[in-house]
Amino acid sequence: MRNRSLRRLLVSALLLAALPLAAQKESPPPAGTPKDFRVPPRKTITLPNGMRVSFVRYGTVPKVAVSLDLATGGIDEAATEVQLAGLTAQMLLEGTTTRTASQISRQAAEMGGSLQAGAGDDDVTVGGEVLSEYGEAFVALLADVVLRPRFAETDVARLRTNMLRDNSIAQSQPGQITRVKFRQMLFGDHPYGRVWAPESLLAGYSAERVAAFWARNAGARRAHLYISGVFDEARLERAVRAAFNGWKPGAAPTVKPPAPVAHRQLELVDRPDAVQSSLRVGLPVADPTSPDWIRLTVTDALVGGSFGSRITSNIREDKGYTYSPFSFVGNWPRTGLWVQVADVTTNVTGASLKEIFYEVDRLRKEAPPAAELTGIKNNLAGVFTLQNSSRYGLIGQLQFVDQHGLGDAYVSSYVKNVLAVTPEEVRRTAERYLDPARMTITVVGDKKTVEPQLEPYRAGVP
Amino acid sequence: MALRFGRLAGAALGLLALAAVPAAAQQAGRQVPIEYYRLPNGLRVVLSRDTTAPTAGVGVYYHIGFRNEPRDRTGFAHLFEHLMFQGSGNLGKLEFIKLVESNGGLLNGSTRFDFTNYFEMVPSHTIETMLWAEADRMKGLAIDSANLRNQQDVVKNEVRVNVLNQPYGSFPWIDLPMAANENWFNAHNFYGDLADLDAATLDDAAAFFQKYYAPNNAVLVVVGDFEPARTRGWILKYFGGIPRVELPPRPDLTEPRQTAEKRASRVDSLATRPALGVAYHLPPRWTPEWFAFGLIDQILGQGRDSRLFEALVQEKGMTGDVSAGINWGLGHQFNYEGPMLWMLSLYHDNGVAPDSILAVIDREVEGLITRPVDAATLARARTKLRASLYSIMESFSGFGTLDLLASFALFDNDPSRINRLEAEFAKVTPSLIQRTATEYLRRTNRTVYTIVPGARDQATGGAQ
């Protein structure tokens, strides 16, 4: 019981009078020596029809991830085809010429996994992971879905109804409204700026149009199959060749980078009586092929991209304006955007923008202290290890490298390059790329309260 | 390597070995290696080594969840979780966060029905630093009224961004437990009323810490690529001197057996489409029926091959997806202790009456009650369950394994249960599934909750 009362004393003393003890603080024990971490190398083969296949071993759990990445998606949609890529990807799971939807789902489940399909701006991915012993059967199932889809009118009609409902729900969510409005403001008429199909457009998506989209855009030259985990490579390679050799080469990937807006614009979407304002602030920056990409990654982590970053420390931990602010550098082929996101209490919408710009400006003027930057760089190096320590983490890393044509040296030299960034380089990167005068601001919130707060941010820097 | 405490742990240091389950010493199936012991101050320690990658996870789980928070302080357990990041004896505000991040790690904390946890996923050479930091905040907090006010604002913004400013918001993860449960501990708003959050004081925080944040009310887990002897040494060095406290008696969390169907509803002025949620009270943990229910969850609700997906999505086209699960939205079947629900929820169109959807759900439920499941369905459910267990264990660089070990140590004093799950599920028979469905999927054991999209001026009360 002596211990207990001591403990109680200690706690209340610390809670009520922390300062007197501050002088005797103990330092954390330093970390040991980092172990080498090497991202496992891959082996890539190219089939005669142009399809690439990468094998990368990971771990000891007897599972294998198989993911087909097809270079199509929103980028190949005409203005009259918004969300047609997404609808087509979903239709792949609705049956083939030899399997019903139910058979596809049940067979994948019997292999200890599931088959998923979805579309993004620049890719359609089809895949999943199963117990290793079923790797070959899963490759055959995946190939059936991709090569022999049965696009039936009744299924298209049902999925259109689902898409309409999903869109309606997304359009009621402040984060989604902000995300899409921000995209429209930056990308305009480019396919990246078109996210939700109006009901009138959706109504016209027939099985015939789905089939035509797939015929036009799916083919081996656009395909890269990634296989990761525990597997017998020779047997899987045979299964892949048997399943995909007959696929037509098809068209080369579409190259159509946008020209995002790079001057100050501000839009406020009214959401009457909203208790928070949802913010996005950002602008076009370098893309992953740029020599500045790594410096930009480090700069982003320091200014807003990590828990201990400057913007988060300021508007969350100091001011309490928000719960989960974050920034990131978004990437598309030949395109990069820096974006800061936050949901802030309505009455401090303007004050939050003020602090975000304050932190950006401060970094553009003064190089960060070396210790602060070292912490950020160590964080990125460590997180890189965590991210690449899983089957899907590895596949995601390789897809990124392939989508931007970076070569595997990007992966092997990432940590070295991150650690080489200097404080002055961070300042210069912020100065060059993060110019507030060129930033787009999107706000979704209670117009009557928020509008006066935004006045100083409409044109240029206040 | 700065090994400041070189003595090897074990019997020489007076550790009480409760169980040491060597790897692969049990029945077939994937075996997680486990070393389990208790420090003299009552801290339970679980170590589980996996050298696949040079990473590690350090987690501290306190046996206090949001069920048990003070009655006039809803949301307090979660607010307190935030305060644990505001400063301790040797780490000022933001210093804990920066210490983890600058060591290449990710960190978080969360508050759940039956525990509050704090964890770091890190490169494995930084384990000692993480243990020191977790021990530092177990010793005591150093926070002031400005820290408290700041986190009250942050937590209120968390409630706004996740609930108040969102369509559906509290549906179904807060709404259904509040509607289905009778006992206040299980049925209150655990995210907290904003007024209760504002009312919290530093004295409340001191009392709460003193009551629950003690080594004998906690489990420490280290998973990943660690060196066992050194790690045991660090744990004793940093945690060994923290005094135990006398713990308060645990409250009665039991729920009465439900005997009539309940219905509840609210108008949501932000929503554009209606939503339907259904909850059933579950059998107690570790009973044969509870394992049977894990398979029922797979058969009815998990994946595109499940009966509810096939019926509601593929056959009837009433919705695009069905979400279902045990401890849905806040965890899974294996990381809670008290009474729990099986929930399912879906979004639908205005022209479709909730009762017509319920009729389809009833048809599938009746199928389980009136006939034993066929062999193929049961085999597929078992395979899916095993695959989902592996997914849980592997999730987030092994955090999922850490979470399972912590839960079984905290609630059952037996982390080796992680290695017995597959065998228990293998014992489930078709007739047990049928009996379990008959008792637990009774209509009188369920609560139906509907969201009605509505205009602002209608949003005043229940609309049936």
Side-chain angles (χ1 to χ4, degrees):
Chain A
M1 284 302 102
R2 191 169 59 97
N3 282 349
R4 188 183 170 206
S5 51
L6 252 180
R7 175 184 157 81
R8 172 167 288 153
L9 263 176
L10 179 71
V11 170
S12 51
L14 284 171
L15 275 167
L16 300 173
L19 287 175
L21 290 171
Q24 302 130 33
K25 277 189 181 178
E26 189 186 308
S27 296
T33 310
K35 292 193 180 180
D36 279 341
F37 174 71
R38 214 162 59 91
V39 175
R42 64 166 149 181
K43 177 186 155 189
T44 299
I45 58 171
T46 305
L47 306 192
N49 57 12
M51 177 166 138
R52 284 146 299 159
V53 187
S54 289
F55 298 90
V56 57
R57 293 188 182 285
Y58 180 78
T60 54
V61 177
K63 286 182 96 167
V64 60
V66 182
S67 180
L68 183 79
D69 192 80
L70 196 63
T72 181
I75 192 73
D76 288 311
E77 291 169 351
T80 54
E81 294 177 332
V82 182
Q83 288 189 290
L84 185 57
L87 181 65
T88 304
Q90 289 178 24
M91 279 298 299
L92 295 177
L93 302 180
E94 296 296 332
T96 70
T97 53
T98 60
R99 286 176 169 97
T100 64
S102 175
Q103 285 170 330
I104 293 169
S105 305
R106 289 181 185 200
Q107 287 173 17
E110 283 159 6
M111 299 178 204
S114 63
L115 189 61
Q116 323 265 350
D121 290 324
D122 301 287
D123 52 9
V124 166
T125 52
V126 189
E129 55 180 14
V130 294
L131 298 168
S132 293
E133 63 202 273
Y134 299 111
E136 294 157 87
F138 192 63
V139 165
L141 178 65
L142 197 164
D144 192 34
V145 154
V146 170
L147 270 62
R148 290 173 289 279
R150 185 181 60 93
F151 296 129
E153 205 66 67
T154 51
D155 294 326
V156 173
R158 186 165 49 77
L159 294 197
R160 273 199 319 253
T161 306
N162 291 344
M163 194 168 253
L164 198 60
R165 184 186 315 110
D166 291 345
N167 284 355
S168 167
I169 290 171
Q171 285 157 8
S172 68
Q173 295 168 329
Q176 293 294 326
I177 301 169
T178 315
R179 183 181 70 85
V180 171
K181 174 55 95 179
F182 183 75
R183 272 183 164 236
Q184 288 167 346
M185 291 171 71
L186 277 149
F187 294 128
D189 287 338
H190 187 274
Y192 295 166
R194 302 188 292 250
V195 179
W196 289 319
E199 186 171 357
S200 55
L201 212 53
L202 260 181
Y205 295 172
S206 59
E208 193 184 341
R209 288 183 68 187
V210 167
F213 184 88
W214 194 241
R216 194 168 84 228
N217 292 300
R221 287 170 72 197
R222 289 182 171 186
H224 199 140
L225 185 71
Y226 298 91
I227 296 175
S228 163
V230 172
F231 52 84
D232 180 326
E233 186 180 312
R235 292 175 62 161
L236 269 191
E237 185 180 328
R238 272 199 301 279
V240 169
R241 287 185 187 278
F244 287 99
N245 262 343
W247 200 7
K248 65 169 181 166
T254 305
V255 179
K256 191 164 56 182
V261 171
H263 58 78
R264 171 60 62 85
Q265 44 178 351
L266 184 153
E267 282 202 42
L268 167 59
V269 179
D270 191 18
R271 203 159 168 268
D273 300 330
V275 294
Q276 279 179 327
S277 297
S278 304
L279 307 176
R280 275 192 184 224
V281 178
L283 79 174
V285 294
D287 71 84
T289 62
S290 161
D292 285 334
W293 177 254
I294 295 285
R295 290 186 278 272
L296 203 49
T297 304
V298 174
T299 303
D300 169 64
L302 187 137
V303 76
S306 59
F307 201 160
S309 68
R310 291 182 170 191
I311 291 173
T312 302
S313 298
N314 182 330
I315 63 177
R316 174 184 154 125
E317 288 298 299
D318 185 44
K319 310 285 194 311
Y321 291 166
T322 178
Y323 167 60
S324 55
F326 63 96
S327 70
F328 64 99
V329 196
N331 65 85
W332 294 260
R334 297 277 160 194
T335 303
L337 289 186
W338 180 78
V339 187
Q340 169 71 43
V341 182
D343 292 84
V344 304
T345 311
T346 299
N347 65 357
V348 291
T349 307
S352 299
L353 286 172
K354 181 182 162 202
E355 297 302 331
I356 291 167
F357 288 128
Y358 165 78
E359 294 298 348
V360 169
D361 282 332
R362 183 159 73 97
L363 191 59
R364 299 179 81 215
K365 289 191 196 106
E366 298 163 26
E372 181 186 5
L373 178 59
T374 300
I376 292 292
K377 292 191 295 186
N378 287 347
N379 184 239
L380 289 174
V383 169
F384 184 76
T385 304
L386 290 169
Q387 281 170 344
N388 287 293
S389 299
S390 72
R391 291 179 294 275
Y392 272 121
L394 282 168
I395 288 178
Q397 183 69 59
L398 296 175
Q399 280 174 334
F400 172 80
V401 163
D402 293 338
Q403 182 169 53
H404 299 286
L406 303 176
D408 288 4
Y410 175 88
V411 177
S412 54
S413 55
Y414 175 89
V415 169
K416 177 173 65 77
N417 289 339
V418 163
L419 296 178
V421 176
T422 67
E424 177 55 20
E425 284 175 338
V426 168
R427 189 201 64 76
R428 278 209 303 272
T429 303
E431 186 180 29
R432 175 163 180 196
Y433 291 105
L434 305 185
D435 180 359
R438 296 167 58 226
M439 289 188 189
T440 289
I441 302 171
T442 310
V443 182
V444 176
D446 180 37
K447 185 175 176 184
K448 60 184 177 297
T449 314
V450 170
E451 194 161 40
Q453 301 175 42
L454 298 181
E455 221 30 66
Y457 301 96
R458 284 202 176 273
V461 188
Chain B
M1 177 58 99
L3 185 64
R4 308 213 239 152
F5 189 80
R7 286 174 291 165
L8 296 185
L13 291 172
L15 304 184
L16 308 177
L18 295 182
V21 182
Q26 301 199 343
Q27 72 277 7
R30 187 170 150 74
Q31 294 292 300
V32 176
I34 296 165
E35 182 181 346
Y36 184 45
Y37 61 94
R38 198 188 283 265
L39 295 186
N41 62 6
L43 179 69
R44 283 160 284 175
V45 179
V46 189
L47 305 178
S48 180
R49 195 156 181 244
D50 177 351
T51 57
T52 307
T55 62
V58 173
V60 179
Y61 280 57
Y62 294 93
H63 202 172
I64 169 68
F66 49 62
R67 282 190 221 262
N68 297 2
E69 61 202 0
R71 280 178 186 258
D72 57 347
R73 291 283 186 271
T74 59
F76 191 81
H78 170 241
L79 174 64
F80 190 83
E81 173 220 309
H82 279 244
L83 297 181
M84 286 288 280
F85 293 87
Q86 290 297 299
S88 50
N90 292 297
L91 289 168
K93 184 179 165 96
L94 274 170
E95 287 178 8
F96 189 101
I97 291 162
K98 291 193 172 181
L99 181 68
V100 179
E101 290 199 332
S102 66
N103 274 294
L106 300 170
L107 72 158
N108 214 337
S110 54
T111 312
R112 294 293 181 257
F113 276 100
D114 301 296
F115 64 78
T116 307
N117 69 357
Y118 303 87
F119 60 91
E120 296 80 40
M121 303 307 295
V122 293
S124 54
H125 66 285
T126 68
I127 291 171
E128 184 187 4
T129 313
M130 300 305 130
L131 292 170
W132 173 87
E134 282 297 353
D136 199 54
R137 61 180 170 181
M138 191 185 284
K139 286 174 190 156
L141 295 187
I143 55 173
D144 59 21
S145 53
N147 300 142
L148 174 63
R149 263 200 314 280
N150 169 245
Q151 290 306 308
Q152 284 168 319
D153 286 341
V154 170
V155 168
K156 285 190 290 178
N157 269 311
E158 181 178 344
V159 175
R160 289 185 189 111
V161 75
N162 286 335
V163 178
L164 303 176
N165 202 37
Q166 294 293 340
Y168 311 102
S170 52
F171 174 85
W173 61 298
I174 298 174
D175 293 331
L176 262 175
M178 288 181 74
N181 290 317
E182 296 290 327
N183 183 333
W184 181 90
F185 290 106
N186 309 317
H188 71 273
N189 175 8
F190 50 78
Y191 230 172
D193 296 330
L194 297 192
D196 278 1
L197 291 170
D198 273 333
T201 65
L202 279 180
D203 284 344
D204 292 335
F208 196 77
F209 182 88
Q210 175 62 20
K211 207 167 170 183
Y212 297 113
Y213 278 70
N216 52 322
N217 200 38
V219 166
L220 167 67
V221 185
V222 182
V223 298
D225 182 21
F226 59 84
E227 201 283 299
R230 277 182 176 178
T231 303
R232 286 192 300 264
W234 292 328
I235 289 168
L236 183 66
K237 174 179 177 181
Y238 296 120
F239 290 90
I242 305 173
R244 65 166 64 232
V245 302
E246 196 170 312
L247 295 170
R250 301 200 68 79
D252 178 7
L253 300 176
T254 51
E255 282 292 321
R257 183 176 185 273
Q258 189 178 334
T259 53
E261 182 184 84
K262 293 198 225 177
R263 295 228 176 182
S265 182
R266 68 178 166 86
V267 173
D268 188 331
S269 66
L270 299 177
T272 57
R273 301 291 167 118
L276 170 72
V278 186
Y280 297 83
H281 293 282
L282 282 166
R285 295 168 71 240
W286 290 92
T287 56
E289 291 80 7
W290 184 73
F291 286 103
F293 212 106
L295 292 168
I296 289 174
D297 173 50
Q298 294 291 339
I299 293 165
L300 284 181
Q302 299 304 319
R304 294 174 61 93
D305 65 303
S306 67
R307 289 185 176 180
L308 290 176
F309 188 93
E310 290 203 337
L312 293 166
V313 180
Q314 299 280 6
E315 182 195 331
K316 301 286 184 187
M318 288 172 157
T319 182
D321 200 8
V322 181
S323 297
I326 295 169
N327 197 8
W328 191 89
L330 288 160
H332 48 63
Q333 182 170 8
F334 312 108
N335 58 4
Y336 70 88
E337 181 180 30
M340 189 47 71
L341 302 168
W342 181 67
M343 273 194 249
L344 70 95
S345 65
L346 55 87
Y347 302 96
H348 60 100
D349 290 333
N350 285 304
V352 179
D355 278 332
S356 67
I357 302 171
L358 283 168
V360 178
I361 295 171
D362 284 340
R363 187 191 77 189
E364 296 306 321
V365 165
E366 286 303 313
L368 279 181
I369 292 174
T370 52
R371 298 182 291 281
V373 291
D374 59 278
T377 300
L378 181 56
R380 198 167 74 241
R382 285 204 178 107
T383 303
K384 284 161 64 178
L385 197 126
R386 196 169 78 238
S388 80
L389 271 175
Y390 292 173
S391 296
I392 289 170
M393 290 184 201
E394 286 190 287
S395 64
F396 190 24
S397 303
F399 169 73
T401 301
L402 185 159
D403 183 63
L404 287 176
L405 293 168
S407 297
F408 292 140
L410 200 61
F411 306 140
D412 308 300
N413 193 25
D414 184 7
S416 73
R417 287 189 176 193
I418 195 174
N419 289 327
R420 297 207 296 277
L421 295 171
E422 278 190 57
E424 294 295 334
F425 283 109
K427 291 179 194 163
V428 175
T429 61
S431 67
L432 178 60
I433 287 178
Q434 197 175 0
R435 282 204 308 280
T436 304
T438 304
E439 167 59 11
Y440 291 95
L441 292 176
R442 282 179 283 124
R443 244 182 255 195
T444 52
N445 188 38
R446 81 178 178 195
T447 301
V448 176
Y449 200 100
T450 52
I451 297 285
V452 182
R456 186 169 306 272
D457 50 10
Q458 294 178 307
T460 47
Q464 268 296 89

